[in-house]
Amino acid sequence: MSTPFSLAILAIVTLSLLGLPIGHAMIAGSILYLLVAGQDLSIAAEQLLNGMYTNYVILAVPLFILAAELMNIGSMTERLLRFCDALVGRFRGGLAHVNIVQSVIFAGMSGSAIADAAGTGRMMQAMMTKDGKYPPAFAAALTAVSSVIGPIIPPSIPMVIYALVSDASIGFLFLGGVIPGLLMALAQMVIVASAAKRRNFPVEPPIPLRQLPGITWRAFPALMMPVVLLGGIYGGATTPTEAAAVAAAYALAVSVLLYRSVSLSAFYGSLAYSARTTASIGMLIAGALVFNYVVTIENIPDSLRVLLAGWNLSPLGFLILVNVLLLILGCLLEGTAILLIVVPVLIPTAKALGIDMVHFGVVVVVNIMLGLITPPYGLLLFIMTNIAEVPLRQIVRECMPFLGAMIVALALITFFPSLVLWLPRLMGYQG
């Protein structure tokens, strides 16, 4: 590494440790690089503006965030929970299975693990711990790990960001996440079934089958949201970005006109929260765009590709190395930062080894989602600690069996690319 680049890295790390948001730190470090390297400082602004205003796909991020918030303030979530309870609540550990199934359904609407945990986490925590049915730490851990499914099953904000840095098709990335997401849910349900038998979790009173049509009908408008969203994309009616706008409009229409459950103050609050979240992600993307220019100038991706070529890694060997690297980084860094800083450096090597970019993208996103439940940085762990008011160490201990099962699922989609690529190829993908 050159001296200017070393100074830039040192500045980013130092500023981050001092508490500056990582996006701001990357911009500052990149400007320092340009200054020391004797380049025009206006290049930073040029890279930032060109990247932010020429990538149409970025618009999908705030729209998916808004769609999730509109679902949370309406009664869509409660109706979906009732529907999930009718489906799987009758089994031993039924509420735990409900938690997982609702995350699968919610995943087809929000595209965000944080939105899933924040939207249904408090309700699921209250339902599961009422009358001492489940230990609070187990309920909190289950909500955290089930929320991981959200950005794997389409739509997915992390996949949108991956498409931004890799030029992969968002539509086929979305399709590629369906089977891995369901595999993650299955792995979690196996752990729940085992724990329910071992720890004698309760069996909920079954909802009579005659009530199922009415429950399904009341939840039907909410259940149709993934159909509207994905049908628009794969039917050719909308781009993924336009589909995000349709999803937000549909969530608003259902909550306001059909369920009549949204107040003006709640709607304003959802707009404000979505704006704050979008600004936070936007600053991270802006910082990464500037820093990626520095990385490109320093020829870091090609240098890494040459280095790894000297190791004579096979495509599978490289994917295993990427899995280990991303799982470690997930303990230390925020997922979006990994997507925008680390993954672009790995993509040229993946392409040189002939690894499919859709398969690689899904593997990357699954790794990053697992980082949300790995200490010390696991963001979902902190959210559930706050919601459940349970010590972090207890939640981490309860998470470990689920994490092990999901790593097994990650290994399966790494070793067997057809688990990711079968559905995209069915829809015409040529990769």
Side-chain angles (χ1 to χ4, degrees):
M1 291 187 295
S2 67
T3 299
F5 188 72
S6 300
L7 289 173
I9 295 294
L10 180 62
I12 292 171
V13 172
T14 302
L15 291 171
S16 298
L17 291 176
L18 290 174
L20 192 70
I22 183 65
H24 295 76
M26 284 190 292
I27 293 175
S30 301
I31 291 174
L32 177 63
Y33 172 88
L34 296 173
L35 180 65
V36 176
Q39 297 193 35
D40 189 348
L41 297 184
S42 65
I43 291 176
E46 179 186 357
Q47 293 297 316
L48 190 155
L49 293 173
N50 284 342
M52 294 296 285
Y53 287 105
T54 59
N55 284 294
Y56 179 66
V57 69
I58 295 178
L59 281 175
V61 174
L63 292 169
F64 280 133
I65 293 171
L66 179 59
E69 278 303 299
L70 291 173
M71 284 186 290
N72 286 340
I73 64 173
S75 62
M76 296 176 75
T77 302
E78 291 90 336
R79 293 167 189 259
L80 289 174
L81 285 177
R82 181 69 173 166
F83 173 75
C84 295
D85 189 23
L87 288 181
V88 297
R90 65 187 65 239
F91 304 117
R92 180 165 296 280
L95 278 180
H97 289 297
V98 168
N99 200 335
I100 297 170
V101 173
Q102 65 85 20
S103 287
V104 172
I105 295 175
F106 204 80
M109 305 178 189
S110 71
S112 167
I114 307 301
D116 190 348
T120 61
R122 200 173 300 277
M123 281 183 289
M124 288 307 310
Q125 187 70 22
M127 289 170 61
M128 292 183 68
T129 57
K130 184 179 180 181
D131 300 326
K133 293 178 180 177
Y134 295 81
F138 178 85
L142 180 60
T143 300
V145 298
S146 67
S147 298
V148 165
I149 300 171
I152 300 174
I153 294 177
S156 167
I157 292 174
M159 286 184 184
V160 171
I161 296 174
Y162 172 81
L164 174 67
V165 301
S166 68
D167 291 328
S169 164
I170 298 178
F172 290 128
L173 278 168
F174 281 1
L175 282 176
V178 173
I179 293 177
L182 295 176
L183 194 60
M184 288 285 175
L186 177 62
Q188 293 175 12
M189 295 184 83
V190 168
I191 298 298
V192 165
S194 174
K197 184 176 181 181
R198 187 177 68 255
R199 299 167 70 169
N200 196 30
F201 288 154
V203 178
E204 301 297 317
I207 295 176
L209 290 178
R210 66 178 181 275
Q211 295 183 18
L212 186 58
I215 293 172
T216 304
W217 176 252
R218 286 188 289 274
F220 184 74
L223 292 170
M224 281 299 294
M225 185 169 174
V227 178
V228 171
L229 178 67
L230 300 179
I233 295 174
Y234 302 116
T238 64
T239 65
T241 303
E242 292 165 347
V246 171
Y250 182 82
L252 180 62
V254 170
S255 297
V256 174
L257 301 179
L258 204 58
Y259 293 159
R260 301 181 183 276
S261 57
V262 176
S263 66
L264 189 59
S265 61
F267 178 60
Y268 175 80
S270 68
L271 291 177
Y273 177 84
S274 301
R276 287 194 300 270
T277 305
T278 300
S280 176
I281 295 175
M283 281 305 303
L284 194 53
I285 293 174
L289 289 169
V290 179
F291 183 68
N292 284 344
Y293 170 81
V294 173
V295 169
T296 303
I297 291 296
E298 285 290 311
N299 211 27
I300 300 297
D302 285 341
S303 299
L304 179 64
R305 180 173 54 80
V306 171
L307 174 64
L308 293 177
W311 294 0
N312 293 317
L313 286 174
S314 65
L316 181 59
F318 175 73
L319 286 174
I320 293 173
L321 178 64
V322 168
N323 281 336
V324 173
L325 174 64
L326 294 183
L327 286 173
I328 293 172
L329 289 176
C331 298
L332 306 170
L333 293 174
E334 197 270 335
T336 307
I338 297 174
L339 272 172
L340 293 168
I341 302 171
V342 178
V343 173
V345 177
L346 300 172
I347 286 174
T349 305
K351 288 181 176 178
L353 290 171
I355 296 172
D356 184 87
M357 283 294 98
V358 170
H359 178 228
F360 187 66
V362 173
V363 169
V364 164
V365 168
V366 171
N367 272 284
I368 288 171
M369 290 305 101
L370 293 183
L372 293 174
I373 55 170
T374 52
Y377 189 80
L379 190 55
L380 287 174
L381 299 178
F382 295 133
I383 290 174
M384 292 315 301
T385 298
N386 181 57
I387 289 175
E389 299 180 350
V390 175
L392 178 63
R393 65 180 180 276
Q394 294 183 19
I395 297 179
V396 170
R397 185 169 62 247
E398 295 282 7
C399 276
M400 288 301 105
F402 294 101
L403 183 60
M406 289 190 289
I407 288 176
V408 171
L410 170 62
L412 288 175
I413 66 172
T414 300
F415 295 146
F416 302 102
S418 58
L419 289 173
V420 174
L421 298 176
W422 177 77
L423 197 52
R425 285 171 177 164
L426 192 66
M427 297 296 291
Y429 180 57
Q430 300 299 316

